[in-house]
Amino acid sequence: MITPAELRQYHYCPRIVFYERCTPVYRRETRRMQYGREAHDAETALEKQRSLQRYGLHQGQREFGVHLHSEALEITGIADLVVTVGSESYPVEFKDSTREPDLGHHMQVCAYGLLLEATRETKSPKGFWHSTRTRETRVIEFDTKLRKRTLQAIRDINAFIKAERCPDPTPQVAKCLECELKNFCGDVF
């Protein structure tokens, strides 16, 4: 089973997921990773005291650290926050970032929406991406195109993991320059 976070990594570079899943590579936690985790924990504590206004909602039930698992989707993960209003549930992802969410972030949040629909009697038409640095919240609509791309990425990742087949590297070689796994990509450098 893969995680929604691996969809974000897959979008950045598919080999990150391959090396973590199929080889005995240990990725040391960097100071940046540690800071991100600490910022995430602080944001969760603050979020418990806030209204739902940033999500365009006036009421709803909040659940933090929601464990979701679907054998059918072959995906499992822990949503940062799920807000449920009536028969709809909205996943919220907190990110320690100043950049706009990219397709990888969209697929990550969409995967949580798919998991909510698969495991609960609820609809998940959209989710939210919140920057802990800029305090901006973006709405991510789970349209048909995003759902299809997310499901295809899940299938692709599970296929190369099961086959233990190294996928092609990202076509954006500039990403490789700062990658902690670049020493494993002999065909790139």
Side-chain angles (χ1 to χ4, degrees):
M1 295 258 183
I2 65 165
T3 67
E6 288 174 317
L7 289 166
R8 181 179 40 79
Q9 292 174 327
Y10 171 78
H11 174 71
Y12 188 80
C13 178
R15 288 190 174 178
I16 294 172
V17 180
F18 172 79
Y19 289 130
E20 287 184 344
R21 288 300 193 111
C22 299
T23 65
V25 171
Y26 172 74
R27 287 178 69 190
R28 181 176 51 92
E29 183 179 59
T30 64
R31 176 64 189 121
R32 176 85 175 94
M33 290 174 180
Q34 182 182 9
Y35 176 80
R37 189 172 26 80
E38 291 167 359
H40 182 277
D41 292 345
E43 188 67 27
T44 299
L46 290 171
E47 184 69 26
K48 292 177 181 180
Q49 303 169 23
R50 294 183 177 133
S51 73
L52 296 170
Q53 185 177 1
R54 77 177 59 220
Y55 310 117
L57 304 171
H58 301 290
Q59 61 180 349
Q61 176 187 346
R62 290 181 217 220
E63 299 173 77
F64 293 89
V66 181
H67 291 261
L68 299 164
H69 176 85
S70 171
E71 293 285 335
L73 292 174
E74 295 187 279
I75 192 164
T76 186
I78 303 172
D80 292 340
L81 170 64
V82 173
V83 180
T84 302
V85 181
S87 63
E88 294 187 345
S89 294
Y90 310 105
V92 180
E93 181 67 22
F94 302 132
K95 287 292 178 205
D96 178 51
S97 177
T98 57
R99 295 181 305 153
E100 294 289 317
D102 62 18
L103 177 59
H105 294 109
H106 285 238
M107 288 192 301
Q108 179 180 13
V109 177
C110 183
Y112 286 121
L114 294 169
L115 279 164
L116 286 166
E117 291 178 345
T119 60
R120 301 178 174 194
E121 292 184 19
T122 187
K123 292 182 181 177
S124 189
K126 63 184 175 184
F128 302 94
W129 180 94
H130 175 73
S131 168
T132 61
R133 287 197 184 184
T134 65
R135 318 310 281 159
E136 293 181 60
T137 302
R138 300 279 187 239
V139 177
I140 298 174
E141 299 287 342
F142 303 151
D143 60 17
T144 303
K145 183 177 178 181
L146 179 59
R147 287 171 181 267
K148 284 181 180 179
R149 285 185 89 161
T150 302
L151 290 168
Q152 185 60 53
I154 292 168
R155 286 189 294 272
D156 291 347
I157 294 168
N158 279 313
F160 73 67
I161 288 172
K162 288 174 186 169
E164 295 185 1
R165 178 188 44 80
C166 186
D168 290 334
T170 178
Q172 301 167 348
V173 180
K175 291 179 178 180
C176 304
L177 299 175
E178 296 182 11
C179 181
E180 66 268 23
L181 298 172
K182 66 182 173 187
N183 293 336
F184 296 94
C185 292
D187 58 337
V188 176
F189 290 101

